[in-house]
């Protein structure tokens, strides 16, 4: 009988008093513990400047877990694995004491020198921390060491390259796990399986049968308390450079020859290399930007972006992007991939719609306008599943067709057991599986694609605000598809 090896490691979270640690990381570690994916051989060391004790830290961990997960047992034995080590990460001398704490914990929890250094801090600290970990020998153990890096990975290609060089001076590419949390989502991971495990789809998955693909990731939330960050980012850098382009790559890639990290990444990289570059002077033909003004969401009035905290009252930052992406390769030549994403839209929803071409002659519709193409909808969130839109005979009426739907709802089957993205990614990292993390080449190619668009936009002031909160974005996003004879399918 094969016994499954539970991962053993110390997870060192830099930025342990911050929002990400509290909302995502602690609950994810708990779920791994609760589901038995990690045993007792683990410890978590929190690093930040606040002068907390282990007890304060554990109390915070407990609170964050209780807020996120339904807990029906005492958390003391779980939180006893958590230790707090306060220091300013730019302070060289503190790494010595961290090193000796880690050695003690290695022994106490039998973690065999395995370490996950999780950088849940602002990117300006990534290089400093990586360098200090190397310089002070925190990587020199008998086990494995891995560095998890949060987004944003740079601001453009040049800054991402600089950041990467700093990190690579201390860690090898195989040790670096760049998080794109969309890659941890159940239905994003399902894209590959839906495509490559079904003859029905894979044979049709090309420019002969697909007319266009639409990816929408809409949010009803605004920028919340992240105005400072968002002002320097905008929707293009915040969502398109990473999550949206990753979904494009998964939808467009060739079947990998093996399901290994290298093979899958290599196929995704080929897609990103085949993206048709957009020159600065043609951005307006391919991309649309928007910024929300006040409006009503779920019956409540919400303020406009320019009224949000830490936002310039005359801000030129886009909170919405729609774009037409072309992939210049044999499979996809001529098929537009439309993307749109934005804050304060009608609802929180991520969906992919694959629109198939019509058959050459369809006798079953009285009027041309009644014809509905076949669609495959992949529901990423909040619902998880797929819907296939087909045509079938209208009951009782001869020779007339009506649209029907075949649906598979993932929530109904796996329900609450679907792991949260961060939980899955943390587990993958502890298992040494980097498939659902982004390789540097993917990051670099994505920035190279996005940079001319952000350059063009930063040079020209937009006529903002141009969409009402609670809507599906500016009308130009509809016109983008209309000029190609398409429309956004309702989500
Ligand atoms: N929050 C989220 O949902 C998401 C966040 N991210 C990314 O994750 C990273 C962290 O984000 P978030 O948690 O929101 O940020 P926060 O501002 O909430 O937390 C920052 C953390 O860094 C610590 N810190 C700041 N300066 C120092 C220093 N010099 N030495 C030691 N610790 C320091 C702070 O603690 P203290 O003040 O005690 O020192 C705090 O724990 C960012 O890169 C962000 O872009 C990515 C996706 C989503
Ligand atoms: O990375 C980010 O993603 C979230 C949206 O993630 P989701 O899992 O809720 O769809 C977005 O709100 C945030 O601005 C961005 O930084």
């Amino acid at each position: 009988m094969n016994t499954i090896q539970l991962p053993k490691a110390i997870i060192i979270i830099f930025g342990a008093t911050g929002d990400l640690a509290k909302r995502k990381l602690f609950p994810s570690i708990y779920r791994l513990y609760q589901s038995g994916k990690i045993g007792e051989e683990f410890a978590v060391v929190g690093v930040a400047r606040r002068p907390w004790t282990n007890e304060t830290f554990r109390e915070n961990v407990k609170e964050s877990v209780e807020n996120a997960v339904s807990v029906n047992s005492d958390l003391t034995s779980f939180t006893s694995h958590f230790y707090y080590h306060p220091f300013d990460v730019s302070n060289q001398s503190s790494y010595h004491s961290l090193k000796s704490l880690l050695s003690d914990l290695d022994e106490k929890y039998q973690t065999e020198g395995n370490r996950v250094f999780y950088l849940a801090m602002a990117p300006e600290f990534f290089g400093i921390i990586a360098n200090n970990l190397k310089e002070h020998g925190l990587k020199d153990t008998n086990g494995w060491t891995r560095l998890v890096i949060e987004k944003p990975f740079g601001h453009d290609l040049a800054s991402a390259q600089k950041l990467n060089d700093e990190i690579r001076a201390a860690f090898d590419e195989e040790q670096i796990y760049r998080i794109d949390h969309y890659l941890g989502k159940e239905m994003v991971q399902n894209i590959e399986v839906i495509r490559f495990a079904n003859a029905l789809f894979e044979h049709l998955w090309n420019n002969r049968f697909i007319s266009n693909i639409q990816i929408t990731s809409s949010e009803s939330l605004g920028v919340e308390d992240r105005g400072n960050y968002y002002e320097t980012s905008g929707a293009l850098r915040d969502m398109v450079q990473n999550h949206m382009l990753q979904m494009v790559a998964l939808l467009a890639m060739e079947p990998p020859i093996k399901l290994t990290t290298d093979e899958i990444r290599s196929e995704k990289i080929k897609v990103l290399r085949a993206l048709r570059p957009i020159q600065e002077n043609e951005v307006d033909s391919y991309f649309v930007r928007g910024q929300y003004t006040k409006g009503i969401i779920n019956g409540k009035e919400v303020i406009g972006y320019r009224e949000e905290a830490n936002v310039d009252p005359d801000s030129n930052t886009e909170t919405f992007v729609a774009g037409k992406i072309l992939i210049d390769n044999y499979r996809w030549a001529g098929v537009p991939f439309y993307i749109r994403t934005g804050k304060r839209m009608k609802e929180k929803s991520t969906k992919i719609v694959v629109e198939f071409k019509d058959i050459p002659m369809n006798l079953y519709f009285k009027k041309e306008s009644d014809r509905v193409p076949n669609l495959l909808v992949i529901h990423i969130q909040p619902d998880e599943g797929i819907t296939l839109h087909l045509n079938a005979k209208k009951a009782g009426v001869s020779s007339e067709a009506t649209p029907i739907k075949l649906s598979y709802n993932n929530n109904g089957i796996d329900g609450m057991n679907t792991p949260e993205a961060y939980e899955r990614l943390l587990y993958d990292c502890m298992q040494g599986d980097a498939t659902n993390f982004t390789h540097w080449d993917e990051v670099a190619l994505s920035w190279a694609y996005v940079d001319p668009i952000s350059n063009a936009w930063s040079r020209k002031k937009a006529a903002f605000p141009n969409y009402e909160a609670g809507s599906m974005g500016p009308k130009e996003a509809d016109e983008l598809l209309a000029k190609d004879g398409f429309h956004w399918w309702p989500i």
Side-chain angles (χ1 to χ4, degrees):
M1 196 176 81
N2 282 340
T3 48
I4 298 169
Q5 277 282 325
L6 298 181
K8 309 165 179 193
I10 306 179
I11 305 170
I12 303 98
I13 301 178
F14 290 89
T17 57
D19 176 71
L20 183 72
K22 193 166 181 143
R23 279 193 313 108
K24 299 288 184 186
L25 304 185
F26 304 147
S28 296
I29 297 169
Y30 177 68
R31 277 190 290 257
L32 290 175
Y33 182 74
Q34 189 188 35
S35 62
K37 286 190 173 152
I38 52 176
E40 295 299 330
E41 287 152 331
F42 83 97
V44 178
V45 176
V47 174
R49 290 166 305 183
R50 252 157 265 196
W52 285 1
T53 59
N54 284 345
E55 284 62 43
T56 335
F57 185 45
R58 288 172 188 173
E59 206 36 56
N60 269 271
V61 172
K62 178 171 178 279
E63 195 186 297
S64 99
V65 171
E66 284 170 346
N67 281 339
V69 186
S70 83
V71 180
N72 39 24
S73 59
D74 183 21
L75 287 175
T76 315
S77 65
F78 171 70
T79 57
S80 71
H81 290 256
F82 285 69
Y83 296 79
Y84 187 69
H85 193 69
F87 73 90
D88 187 317
V89 293
S90 353
N91 179 357
Q92 305 257 348
S93 59
S94 305
Y95 287 84
H96 281 300
S97 48
L98 178 61
K99 186 179 177 185
S100 72
L101 172 64
L102 297 185
S103 302
D104 294 347
L105 294 178
D106 257 342
E107 212 153 283
K108 179 164 179 183
Y109 291 96
Q110 298 293 298
T111 44
E112 300 176 351
N114 299 332
R115 285 162 195 191
V116 175
F117 296 105
Y118 197 119
L119 309 194
M121 287 185 55
E124 64 255 35
F125 295 111
F126 294 170
I128 299 169
I129 300 173
N131 181 49
N132 279 318
L133 292 176
K134 182 179 178 204
E135 288 302 307
H136 295 91
L138 280 87
K139 290 179 63 213
D140 306 336
T141 73
N142 293 328
W144 48 256
T145 49
R146 296 177 187 141
L147 184 73
V148 181
I149 310 252
E150 268 299 339
K151 62 171 285 204
F153 200 91
H155 184 74
D156 53 17
L157 179 57
S159 58
Q161 179 74 65
K162 181 169 173 285
L163 179 57
N164 199 51
D165 291 346
E166 286 168 10
I167 294 163
R168 286 295 308 277
F171 286 81
D172 297 334
E173 179 64 32
E174 305 75 65
Q175 296 178 301
I176 302 173
Y177 287 66
R178 297 178 195 83
I179 290 252
D180 182 315
H181 78 278
Y182 267 57
L183 297 180
K185 291 184 191 281
E186 177 69 21
M187 288 306 294
V188 172
Q189 296 191 351
N190 212 341
I191 294 172
E192 262 176 79
V193 184
I194 292 166
R195 288 190 52 196
F196 302 133
N198 291 298
L200 184 65
F201 296 130
E202 188 44 31
H203 294 308
L204 304 181
W205 211 263
N206 57 53
N207 51 11
R208 275 180 296 149
F209 300 102
I210 290 178
S211 67
N212 73 94
I213 295 185
Q214 305 176 7
I215 310 173
T216 300
S217 192
S218 61
E219 296 189 73
S220 50
L221 287 180
V223 286
E224 308 299 292
D225 53 1
R226 295 168 75 213
N228 268 333
Y229 153 76
Y230 204 82
E231 275 288 272
T232 61
S233 159
L236 187 71
R237 293 185 176 97
D238 190 45
M239 292 292 291
V240 176
Q241 180 272 335
N242 37 61
H243 313 318
M244 303 303 277
L245 287 181
Q246 282 293 323
M247 287 191 277
V248 170
L250 289 167
L251 287 161
M253 71 190 229
E254 293 301 314
I257 55 169
K258 281 193 228 123
L259 292 179
T260 59
T261 303
D262 286 350
E263 294 301 340
I264 293 172
R265 281 175 161 182
S266 140
E267 295 306 338
K268 282 164 66 193
I269 288 166
K270 281 190 214 155
V271 173
L272 297 170
R273 280 172 47 208
L275 297 180
R276 183 180 302 175
I278 296 184
Q279 309 305 325
E280 282 188 38
N281 61 3
E282 45 183 30
V283 167
D284 289 348
S285 312
Y286 290 91
F287 272 78
V288 168
R289 54 179 162 162
Q291 187 191 79
Y292 61 84
T293 181
K294 66 179 173 32
I296 293 177
I297 298 186
N298 295 330
K300 270 203 187 143
E301 209 168 290
V302 297
I303 56 174
Y305 178 68
R306 289 178 176 183
E307 284 87 60
E308 303 272 14
N310 299 317
V311 168
D312 179 349
D314 192 31
S315 174
N316 194 36
T317 302
E318 78 287 351
T319 59
F320 173 97
V321 174
K324 169 176 162 179
I325 295 174
L326 293 171
I327 301 173
D328 287 332
N329 66 16
Y330 190 83
R331 191 189 279 257
W332 294 114
V335 180
F337 283 64
Y338 298 107
I339 55 154
R340 71 181 158 163
T341 182
K343 301 264 182 211
R344 284 287 190 228
M345 292 174 66
K346 196 168 135 218
E347 59 188 327
K348 170 81 183 163
S349 169
T350 304
K351 275 198 184 84
I352 295 164
V353 181
V354 180
E355 179 175 339
F356 291 89
K357 286 184 176 168
D358 276 336
I359 47 175
M361 192 168 88
N362 194 331
L363 300 173
Y364 297 95
F365 289 94
K366 283 206 168 137
K367 289 192 288 187
E368 186 59 25
S369 59
D370 288 345
R371 271 167 70 157
V372 183
N374 293 149
L375 304 175
L376 170 68
V377 183
I378 305 177
H379 308 259
I380 307 284
Q381 62 183 14
D383 298 331
E384 295 182 358
I386 56 177
T387 307
L388 191 55
H389 293 238
L390 302 170
N391 294 304
K393 183 176 166 299
K394 206 180 235 178
V397 185
S398 62
S399 310
E400 223 178 291
T402 188
I404 58 152
K405 291 181 200 173
L406 301 182
S407 294
Y408 159 71
N409 184 345
N410 213 26
N411 311 66
I413 301 216
D414 294 332
M416 301 302 284
N417 295 329
T418 308
E420 215 264 335
Y422 275 93
E423 174 187 347
R424 197 188 296 260
L425 293 174
L426 254 176
Y427 182 69
D428 284 357
C429 171
M430 290 174 90
Q431 294 283 35
D433 181 354
T435 312
N436 291 309
F437 294 81
T438 44
H439 187 274
W440 162 245
D441 291 349
E442 296 171 69
V443 176
L445 287 161
S446 305
W447 277 123
Y449 180 76
V450 153
D451 277 355
I453 306 168
S454 45
N455 289 343
W457 284 352
S458 64
R459 282 206 185 109
K460 200 166 143 202
K461 196 137 174 58
F464 284 161
N466 61 350
Y467 73 96
E468 230 176 76
S471 72
M472 284 307 285
K475 64 176 183 351
E476 289 81 1
D478 297 335
E479 289 162 9
L480 185 72
L481 273 69
K483 65 187 181 201
D484 294 339
F486 301 123
H487 61 84
W488 294 104
W489 289 97
I491 57 159

